Amino acid sequence: MLTLKCPYCGVQACETELSPGYEAHLKRFGPGSSDDDFETYLFTRPNVKGVHFERWRHAYGCGKWFLAARCTTTLEVFGTYSAQTPAPPAEIIEAIKSKRPDWSPET
Amino acid sequence: MKRYSAFAIAREAANYHQGWERAWAKRAPKKRYDAIIIGAGGHGLASAYYLGKNHGITNVAVLEKGWLGGGNTGRNTTIIRSNYLQDPSAAIYEKARSLYETLSQDLNYNVMFSPRGVIMLAQTHHEVRGYQRTAHANALQGVKTEWIGPERVKQLCPIMNIEGPRYPVLGGLWQARGGTARHDAVAWGYARACSDMGMDIIQQCEVTGVTSEGGKVTGVQTSLGDIGCNSLGIVVAGHSSHVAEMAGFRLPIESVALQALVSEPIKPCMDVVVMANTVHGYMSQSDKGEMVIGGGTDGYNNYTQRGSFHHIEETVRALIETFPMISRLKMLRQWGGIVDVTGDRSPILSKTPLEGCYINCGWGTGGFKAIPGSGFGFAELMAKGYSPLTAEFGMERFREGRFIDESVAAGVAH
């Protein structure tokens, strides 16, 4: 059973309390953007095998969206953080690197 | 290859069964092939088989990281049907279903195709309208399906409680020639036929890179060394994004876990396949007597072949309401597979930005039923560069807005 700590209300929430929202930090493109950018934003996903940043909503708790860093091959959770950030914060990057020394944010 | 027959059983019995040959040969990879297929699951092996059978291309290798048929081919609930709403889907799934009818004879391998009939239950008024529409669409497509009322549903499947407190059965979409087949046998039968045509099936050979020159594919790097090829087919289901990354492009796909489970074996109690999409569970009885049960996917990216426990609980809870007699059954085994889900819930059979490299993926939660049709179309695409079966399933459809929107048509369990 996957459990994630909600960064807003501090509850250690099990996945039945949460709604998944797939990939985080998507760069959004709107009217006037190129076909390539618009397609990438709407559909194309890295679908990473390894460290994945993703959106979750504490649906049956405080109701707020937050972000999580999780490994898709081991289901290990590296940490959760506020959704009001355009990139993963330093402490999350640090937590991932301590467990995955080969990992870098670009991959 | 020695043919399997009643006579062969008698002959081998007289010889203490010492004379059976291996179903497929174990060979080391050659330096170069005309075509390489990555992935020895049902779709990959079927693609190789039709490359040889229909297009005369037999200098082919099928590379497999694990063991043959050990991915989703060995992990599904074996349901075969073709009652889809959209024309391109109906065409490829009906091609697959019609090939299943004679597959045992074609392959000289018993795939145990059992056209026992599939009912898709309508348990809300929206579903009644939706399935009636699908029945009309199927009539125009030449796919034989029928809208049936609740009494006929009860007659076809007497163990069903059609007066459920939450979701009474209001009718169903009935495809009499749908059914099930033995999943492993489909992979094994295709593998045996491929090997007989001289193709190499190489297991425990992981592809680690795709090599190209001037925008054209030249081969693959594997755990058993570099292998050259003129054309490459990527048929790796849940790992499609991972292998596509090696070939230098990205896909509109997310990989998630889908689970299934079987009960202890009981006496025969249902001889049809029932799918209940509103409550999200589906069930059939295997020839061994086990109730084979499937449900919905998890909602988050996952490559572990393990799913969330609460989805099993939801599936079983839903089915107990419709089939009260299974409430005392013990569940024997549960497993998960990684399915590659596209934005419109339809597959991708396509050329790719890398010339000579083709991809067959995105079958999501409903790939088993499509294996022969998928292989038939994909082989034609690889051999000729075009197939009427796969024309609408190109990966450029997302950019162009030409979705084959089965996510709306089927909702779920598809």
Side-chain angles (χ1 to χ4, degrees), chain A:
Chain A
M1 174 85 47
L2 193 61
T3 57
L4 299 172
K5 188 177 176 184
C6 174
Y8 298 108
C9 61
V11 169
Q12 195 73 34
C14 107
E15 59 177 297
T16 53
E17 273 181 64
L18 302 166
S19 298
Y22 295 95
E23 197 185 319
H25 305 302
L26 282 182
K27 191 155 185 237
R28 288 172 170 75
F29 290 91
S33 57
S34 74
D35 283 1
D36 268 344
D37 288 340
F38 199 53
E39 185 192 13
T40 307
Y41 155 51
L42 281 180
F43 302 108
T44 319
R45 296 286 175 267
N47 195 14
V48 180
K49 193 179 173 187
V51 178
H52 192 247
F53 298 99
E54 56 196 14
R55 306 160 73 223
W56 287 86
R57 194 168 81 88
H58 195 185
Y60 298 98
C62 66
K64 288 182 179 151
W65 284 97
F66 64 92
L67 307 182
R70 189 177 58 89
C71 179
T72 59
T73 55
T74 62
L75 304 188
E76 185 178 5
V77 178
F78 303 110
T80 56
Y81 53 100
S82 157
Q84 274 72 44
T85 167
E91 67 266 23
I92 297 288
I93 300 283
E94 211 47 49
I96 299 168
K97 278 188 173 163
S98 71
K99 293 188 173 148
R100 300 277 188 283
D102 298 340
W103 178 84
S104 72
E106 291 79 45
T107 54

Side-chain angles (χ1 to χ4, degrees), chain B residues 253-328:
Chain B
I253 278 181
E254 307 256 21
S255 294
V256 296
L258 175 65
Q259 301 176 86
L261 59 159
V262 294
S263 73
E264 59 192 326
I266 54 174
K267 287 186 176 179
C269 65
M270 68 185 286
D271 58 358
V272 292
V273 180
V274 176
M275 311 187 70
N277 285 357
T278 293
V279 294
H280 215 168
Y282 39 99
M283 189 164 84
S284 63
Q285 190 169 25
S286 75
D287 293 343
K288 283 187 284 187
E290 301 157 331
M291 307 309 283
V292 184
I293 294 169
T297 58
D298 290 355
Y300 54 87
N301 296 49
N302 185 349
Y303 282 93
T304 63
Q305 297 184 323
R306 287 198 306 272
S308 293
F309 184 75
H310 68 96
H311 271 119
I312 305 172
E313 188 186 348
E314 282 165 15
T315 302
V316 170
R317 194 168 58 206
L319 286 171
I320 285 174
E321 186 180 313
T322 310
F323 302 95
M325 67 162 273
I326 69 165
S327 66
R328 292 288 181 271

Side-chain angles (χ1 to χ4, degrees), chain B residues 181-248:
Chain B
R182 170 94 169 95
H183 51 351
D184 293 324
V186 173
W188 296 339
Y190 275 123
R192 179 166 169 269
C194 286
S195 182
D196 184 49
M197 286 190 279
M199 297 179 183
D200 292 351
I201 294 155
I202 300 156
Q203 299 180 69
Q204 295 180 350
C205 173
E206 181 175 359
V207 171
T208 53
V210 175
T211 56
S212 62
E213 212 178 280
K216 191 177 182 328
V217 70
T218 54
V220 290
Q221 297 161 331
T222 75
S223 53
L224 299 179
D226 293 359
I227 310 173
C229 68
N230 298 335
S231 61
L232 177 68
I234 300 172
V235 197
V236 294
H239 280 70
S240 294
S241 301
H242 186 59
V243 179
E245 194 79 40
M246 296 176 197

